[in-house]
Amino acid sequence: MLPLFDCEVKVICPTILIGMTDKTYQPTLAGLRAFVAVGEKQHFGSAAATLGISQSTLSQALAALEAGLDTHLAERSTRRVFLTPEGKQLLPFARAVIEAADAFTAAAAGVSDPLQGTMRLGLIPTVAPYVLPTVLAGLARRLPSLNVRVIEDQTERLLAILREGALDAALIALPADANGFTEVPIYEEDFVLALPPGHPLSGKRRVSVAALANLPLLLLDEGHCLRDQALDVCHKAGVRAELADTRAASLATAVQCVIGGLGVTLIPQSAVPVEAARSRVGLAQFAAPCPGRRIGLVYRTSSGRDQPYRRLAGIIGELISAQERVRLVK
């Protein structure tokens, strides 16, 4: 059996272990690029022109690769270049390495600049429906290399997945009151009182917050920051609001309940154009100082992306300001 084993080793080694005489050798990308270019063009001049290098540089890179692998990859002649059988066998692998390296470089560019590639952006439900059309269209123009993935959820859950790294940044009401996050204020907006159609306060421009004491206040479900903000408005004004029995899971549902006479509610100014356009809801503005909220971008302080995220917040702010100017003109 020993001679048979020895014979098998002699047959297998030349086929499988090409270039393994020096197991520490690592081909360079320059050598692999030279090899692929020569294999595809089968002409040194054309291959060198493709890579933007001189023919001598190309020849040296290919020769170094062959020396390191201890095998001939190409047969040179005065007119053309032909790949050896070993060269033909190894060409697809060299091409795959180069493609992987190029993909790695492209991915690294996106990683180093979070405003290129895919970004996971969280938004709270009382912001998303009212600013997304403007923000997404504007970002597509201003940051064409950015692909935004939207995750809509309540503040607490957004912060949880942001902390875990499953989210890159989030557009929420500030302050977040959470450690480990950087907050960048973007815009402030007033609250507007939504009333049933024909309500005596509908159309008023200087309604006192104290009026909430005599109105059934309809709130969103637990977990919505707008619910807490509405209660905070009452608390700061020293008003003990009468809470309606109805609770809504979304602002749109809350407005529909208001229209049905089930109570009144507070809605942010950014929601007014949408909700007023699709319903007969009555609206009233509060007297100064008008209650409202601040919306901003939050992200992990440890992300090391302060500058690009602040740039993103600035762009979002510009887009929303432009939207508001258009609304006022209309």
Side-chain angles (χ1 to χ4, degrees):
M1 295 297 291
L2 183 56
L4 177 61
F5 179 80
D6 187 49
C7 177
E8 289 178 341
V9 170
K10 290 180 179 178
V11 172
I12 292 173
C13 283
T15 303
I16 297 179
L17 302 182
I18 294 174
M20 294 302 292
T21 54
D22 182 1
K23 296 182 180 181
T24 62
Y25 175 70
Q26 295 292 330
T28 65
L29 280 178
L32 292 175
R33 290 187 189 279
F35 171 43
V36 170
V38 168
E40 292 178 345
K41 299 297 183 181
Q42 295 192 1
H43 188 276
F44 268 88
S46 298
T50 299
L51 296 177
I53 58 178
S54 67
Q55 290 190 43
S56 61
T57 300
L58 176 77
S59 181
Q60 292 171 8
L62 181 59
L65 179 64
E66 290 177 319
L69 296 175
D70 192 24
T71 188
H72 290 295
L73 300 174
E75 296 181 17
R76 293 123 169 114
S77 69
T78 56
R79 294 185 178 180
R80 301 199 66 181
V81 179
F82 299 91
L83 292 185
T84 63
E86 294 82 3
K88 291 179 180 179
Q89 180 183 354
L90 294 175
L91 181 62
F93 296 100
R95 188 182 289 117
V97 171
I98 292 173
E99 291 175 352
D102 290 342
F104 176 82
T105 302
V111 170
S112 62
D113 184 359
L115 303 187
Q116 295 185 33
T118 299
M119 180 181 186
R120 300 160 298 180
L121 180 64
L123 298 97
I124 55 177
T126 57
V127 167
Y130 311 114
V131 306
L132 269 181
T134 296
V135 169
L136 291 180
L139 290 179
R141 294 191 306 270
R142 300 280 295 273
L143 301 171
S145 298
L146 179 64
N147 178 31
V148 179
R149 286 181 53 198
V150 171
I151 296 90
E152 182 185 43
D153 213 330
Q154 295 179 6
T155 300
E156 185 175 349
R157 289 197 286 266
L158 287 178
L159 291 176
I161 60 177
L162 180 59
R163 191 183 300 278
E164 294 168 359
L167 200 64
D168 297 308
L171 207 60
I172 65 173
L174 302 181
D177 291 329
N179 295 327
F181 296 109
T182 297
E183 303 178 2
V184 182
I186 297 179
Y187 66 95
E188 296 183 353
E189 60 180 345
D190 295 338
F191 287 141
V192 176
L193 183 61
L195 303 153
H199 192 281
L201 292 179
S202 183
K204 301 293 185 181
R205 293 184 175 275
R206 294 182 179 84
V207 176
S208 171
V209 174
L212 293 175
N214 303 315
L215 299 170
L217 184 61
L218 195 154
L219 299 174
L220 296 181
D221 282 339
E222 297 280 354
H224 285 280
C225 59
L226 188 57
R227 172 190 175 88
D228 299 330
Q229 291 160 0
L231 292 174
D232 188 56
V233 167
C234 296
H235 175 73
K236 289 180 177 178
V239 174
R240 185 178 180 84
E242 175 190 349
L243 301 184
D245 295 332
T246 301
R247 289 194 306 180
S250 71
L251 192 56
T253 299
V255 171
Q256 293 304 313
C257 291
V258 168
I259 295 172
L262 302 183
V264 303
T265 195
L266 302 185
I267 65 174
Q269 181 63 56
S270 59
V272 169
V274 174
E275 299 301 340
R278 64 186 179 190
S279 67
R280 299 177 296 109
V281 65
L283 300 171
Q285 297 180 6
F286 288 103
C290 185
R293 67 178 184 177
R294 173 178 292 179
I295 302 298
L297 191 73
V298 298
Y299 53 89
R300 295 182 304 280
T301 304
S302 61
S303 68
R305 297 176 169 180
D306 190 71
Q307 183 175 353
Y309 284 161
R310 287 185 181 276
R311 181 189 172 205
L312 176 65
I315 293 174
I316 293 175
E318 292 170 5
L319 294 172
I320 293 175
S321 295
Q323 173 185 275
E324 181 65 12
R325 287 195 297 271
V326 170
R327 184 189 70 82
L328 292 175
V329 169
K330 292 181 178 180

